[in-house]
Amino acid sequence: MSTPAISRYPVPAMDSLPQDLRERILAVQEKAGFVPNVFLALAHRPDELRAFLAYHDALLLKDGGLTKGEREMIIVATSSANQCLYCVVAHGAILRVYEKQPLVADQVAVNYRKADITPRQRAMLDFALKVCLHSHEVNEVDHAQLLGHGFSAEDIWDIAAITAFFGLSNRMANVIGMRPNDEFFLMGRVPRNKG
């Protein structure tokens, strides 16, 4: 049985990529031990991949009131609502690693309201899902509730921006049939092989 394609669009060979993208992908491979398919699939359009990575990094690698795990919770919960297999699997793996909880990603993906998370995180995900599915209904009450849970106005912006950015990511992953790497399925569930 052959391995399914990672995208319905052509995936460029690594040595054909512009140097900046090749270096970025190789750095990820060095750290993770594999190349996440998102890099290869989106490299079909290098300029768009650069823009994608710049916004991704601006949202997920900055300091702020959200932990790395909370940012991943937002991605997993909203990607589940958008039925994005790639992002639920890939970011679920990252969530398990950041939170050091092998069950949390599955809980958040299926029904975050029943997940082993804090009331503050539940309020964060309530807001993220409202932004994801009904952004036109967001109002002052939503902001007040989050402020009441200790989120700042900048944190609220971050929750909305992460949700919106991954709305784009989810839709593109679904349209191009992006396949999650097999490696993601076990990450954070079993001890990492040090050999």
Side-chain angles (χ1 to χ4, degrees), residues 1 9 23 63 73-74 83 90 93 111 113 121 126 134 136 176 186:
M1 177 190 243
Y9 285 82
E23 288 173 1
D63 292 330
M73 284 179 197
I74 294 165
Q83 299 184 49
N111 185 352
R113 291 172 192 87
Q121 291 166 338
D126 283 340
H134 307 284
H136 60 285
I176 69 174
L186 293 181

Side-chain angles (χ1 to χ4, degrees), residues 26-61:
L26 291 173
V28 169
Q29 182 180 29
E30 177 74 23
K31 184 175 181 181
F34 64 99
V35 176
N37 289 343
V38 64
F39 290 94
L40 301 174
L42 295 184
H44 175 68
R45 292 192 171 183
D47 289 341
E48 291 174 33
L49 176 56
R50 284 186 191 95
F52 179 91
L53 293 172
Y55 198 30
H56 171 278
D57 293 353
L59 291 173
L60 299 182
L61 301 183

Side-chain angles (χ1 to χ4, degrees), residues 38 42 52 84 87 164-174 178:
V38 64
L42 295 184
F52 179 91
C84 179
C87 290
F165 175 69
F166 278 90
L168 175 146
S169 181
N170 298 159
R171 284 158 179 80
M172 288 306 298
N174 283 335
M178 200 183 321

Side-chain angles (χ1 to χ4, degrees), residues 67-110:
T67 67
K68 289 179 178 181
E70 287 170 341
R71 293 167 204 249
E72 295 298 329
M73 284 179 197
I74 294 165
I75 298 165
V76 171
T78 59
S79 295
S80 177
N82 290 326
Q83 299 184 49
C84 179
L85 177 64
Y86 186 91
C87 290
V88 169
V89 171
H91 289 276
I94 299 167
L95 173 56
R96 288 189 299 272
V97 169
Y98 283 158
E99 292 294 307
K100 297 177 178 45
Q101 295 181 36
L103 307 180
V104 70
D106 295 332
Q107 294 173 346
V108 168
V110 173

Side-chain angles (χ1 to χ4, degrees), residues 139-151 156:
N139 58 41
E140 291 304 314
V141 173
D142 299 304
H143 288 263
Q145 287 174 339
L146 289 172
L147 294 169
H149 279 279
F151 291 101
I156 295 169

Side-chain angles (χ1 to χ4, degrees), residues 65-67 69-75 78 112 117-131 146 149 151 155 159 163:
L66 304 178
T67 67
E70 287 170 341
R71 293 167 204 249
E72 295 298 329
M73 284 179 197
I74 294 165
I75 298 165
T78 59
Y112 72 88
I117 59 176
T118 67
R120 179 181 185 272
Q121 291 166 338
R122 197 165 290 110
M124 172 188 76
L125 295 181
D126 283 340
F127 180 70
L129 266 291
K130 189 169 187 179
V131 171
L146 289 172
H149 279 279
F151 291 101
D155 296 334
I159 296 166
T163 300

